[in-house]
């Protein structure tokens, strides 16, 4: 199945879904082993080490340091990796409400990590903005 590139269609059909659970970003040395047992939902290799996105409970159990506690909103529309404007539109909608966003694009969907305290407001802001942005 091919992802959607048309911005109007993406915004109209994005159907934001708030995933259960709290997530955190952690950093571990690149040479460290065993991090896979934390079952990260995302990771990225940087020069400074591996950035892991894991459930807060897993980070706590492993004794890892982390920053803010986040929630994950998945845009359930199948967005193409080469689609133009979706990330910008989401960022604008959330910025209007003073909500920070960390977007992770995966093969099928975009996932927006927002501060846990703002998750419900973010979901409402995205739902409110979808018809306005199309």
């Amino acid at each position: 199945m091919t992802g959607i590139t048309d911005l109007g269609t993406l915004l109209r059909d994005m159907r934001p879904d708030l995933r259960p659970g709290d997530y955190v970003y952690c950093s571990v040395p690149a040479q460290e082993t065993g991090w896979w047992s934390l079952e990260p939902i995302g990771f990225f290799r940087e020069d400074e080490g591996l950035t892991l996105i894991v459930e807060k409970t897993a980070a706590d159990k492993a004794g890892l340091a982390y920053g803010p506690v986040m929630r994950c909103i998945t845009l359930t529309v199948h967005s193409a990796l080469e689609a133009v404007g979706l990330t910008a539109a989401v960022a604008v909608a959330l910025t209007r409400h003073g909500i920070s966003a960390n977007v992770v694009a995966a093969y099928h969907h975009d996932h927006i990590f927002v501060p846990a305290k703002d998750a419900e407001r973010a979901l409402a802001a995205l739902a409110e903005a979808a018809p306005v942005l199309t």
Side-chain angles (χ1 to χ4, degrees):
M1 178 177 181
T2 304
I4 298 166
T5 58
D6 179 70
L7 182 58
T9 302
L10 288 168
L11 293 170
R12 185 185 67 241
D13 296 344
M14 66 180 174
R15 294 182 316 276
D17 180 49
L18 182 61
R19 292 176 63 133
D22 291 328
Y23 296 91
V24 295
Y25 283 64
C26 304
S27 182
V28 298
Q31 68 276 12
E32 186 170 310
T33 60
W35 58 267
W36 196 249
S37 67
L38 297 171
E39 298 183 13
I41 64 166
F43 66 93
F44 197 88
R45 182 179 308 275
E46 299 179 286
D47 291 342
E48 299 83 359
L50 290 173
T51 296
L52 307 176
I53 306 171
V54 299
E55 288 189 13
K56 180 183 177 298
T57 54
D60 288 339
K61 186 176 178 182
L64 293 174
Y66 51 81
V69 178
M70 313 292 272
R71 296 286 306 274
C72 179
I73 298 173
T74 296
L75 304 181
T76 60
V77 65
H78 183 181
S79 54
L81 289 168
E82 66 272 18
V84 176
L86 181 59
T87 301
V90 166
V92 166
L94 295 176
T95 297
R96 287 183 179 145
H97 290 271
I99 301 169
S100 68
N102 294 281
V103 179
V104 175
Y107 189 83
H108 295 282
H109 307 288
D110 290 273
H111 309 274
I112 301 112
F113 291 86
V114 299
K117 65 180 177 49
D118 296 326
E120 294 294 337
R121 284 190 326 114
L123 201 58
L126 292 172
E128 167 190 300
V132 174
L133 295 171
T134 55

